[in-house]
Amino acid sequence: METVATEEPAPRAGPPVRDRNMIASRPRGFLAIELLAVIFTIACVWLTAKEHILCWPTGIIGCLLYMYVFWVARLYSDVLLQVYFFVTSVWGWYNWLHGGTDAGELAISRLTWGGMAGWVVVTVAGICVLGTIMKRRTRAALPFLDATTTVMSLVAQYLLGCKILENWMVWIAADVLDTGIYLRRKLYLTSVLYAILLVLAVMGLCEWWGKM
């Protein structure tokens, strides 16, 4: 007598175990802190696009909040990036006010072709070095992608502090990559943030260009 094998019902689909664990392991109140970081960062970039000096103190608060968010998410080069943003925000605040002619307000300027080429070389070299270090020395989740957006953001932030128009072009490229990275790391609010920042960066580029 033959026996007929019966199929076991397929397990119900759900989020991967690793993803569930990633979210469940986050401290209580993490989502609220991430939301505050999103709000302050959006406000900072909007004020920057308008060339308003309050972009700097607003950005400093966002930096402090994101230091915590990225540490919990194990995006360590982004933690270092926020430290850099904090320092350069203090400098940029001063430079916008006193970096112009006769220690007056700084005006918008542009890079020369030679300057652009130099920054491209610096960016590529920085990505190679930082990506290798992050892969070998840390538990970074996405070492080379993380390093790419980190180095691009370092360059863009410096150019922003100098009020150089091309900072927006670098931010646009970094924001595209960051949106994908944070989606993969299940930082959904932050991925929405970077999609919004992408739109604001395009707006900032257009507004600054129109003032030249």
Side-chain angles (χ1 to χ4, degrees):
M1 181 175 176
E2 292 185 354
T3 58
V4 179
T6 58
E7 293 187 359
E8 300 241 345
R12 184 175 296 177
V17 173
R18 182 180 178 185
D19 293 345
R20 292 199 303 269
N21 290 341
M22 184 190 304
I23 295 172
S25 65
R26 289 173 181 166
R28 182 174 296 179
F30 178 86
L31 188 61
I33 294 173
E34 187 185 4
L35 179 58
L36 282 174
V38 167
I39 292 169
F40 274 98
T41 303
I42 289 174
C44 169
V45 178
W46 185 82
L47 288 167
T48 305
K50 297 296 182 181
E51 204 185 350
H52 198 293
I53 195 65
L54 286 180
C55 67
W56 296 110
T58 305
I60 287 170
I61 296 172
C63 288
L64 295 173
L65 292 169
Y66 263 121
M67 284 181 200
Y68 173 79
V69 169
F70 291 140
W71 180 266
V72 172
R74 293 194 295 112
L75 291 169
Y76 301 121
S77 60
D78 277 330
V79 175
L80 296 176
L81 182 61
Q82 296 307 312
V83 175
Y84 170 81
F85 280 168
F86 178 85
V87 173
T88 54
S89 291
V90 174
W91 161 74
W93 193 352
Y94 177 85
N95 199 42
W96 275 32
L97 289 172
H98 305 292
T101 305
D102 298 325
E105 185 177 346
L106 187 65
I108 299 171
S109 61
R110 294 204 61 178
L111 289 175
T112 63
W113 286 107
M116 289 183 192
W119 280 113
V120 168
V121 171
V122 168
T123 301
V124 172
I127 291 168
C128 293
V129 172
L130 182 59
T132 301
I133 292 172
M134 298 300 288
K135 183 175 182 180
R136 295 180 179 178
R137 303 293 184 182
T138 75
R139 295 171 59 239
L142 303 166
F144 280 98
L145 274 178
D146 197 10
T148 298
T149 57
T150 297
V151 173
M152 291 176 72
S153 298
L154 292 173
V155 171
Q157 180 74 358
Y158 178 80
L159 295 177
L160 175 61
C162 295
K163 255 194 187 179
I164 294 174
L165 177 73
E166 283 78 9
N167 86 87
W168 292 113
M169 300 175 188
V170 183
W171 281 126
I172 288 168
D175 289 343
V176 169
L177 293 175
D178 274 324
T179 301
I181 289 173
Y182 298 133
L183 274 174
R184 183 170 176 178
R185 295 298 296 160
K186 312 303 175 186
L187 293 171
Y188 297 119
L189 282 176
T190 302
S191 63
V192 171
L193 165 66
Y194 275 87
I196 295 171
L197 294 183
L198 175 59
V199 174
L200 290 175
V202 173
M203 183 184 81
L205 177 62
C206 294
E207 291 220 13
W208 282 32
W209 207 318
K211 293 178 180 180
M212 296 190 69

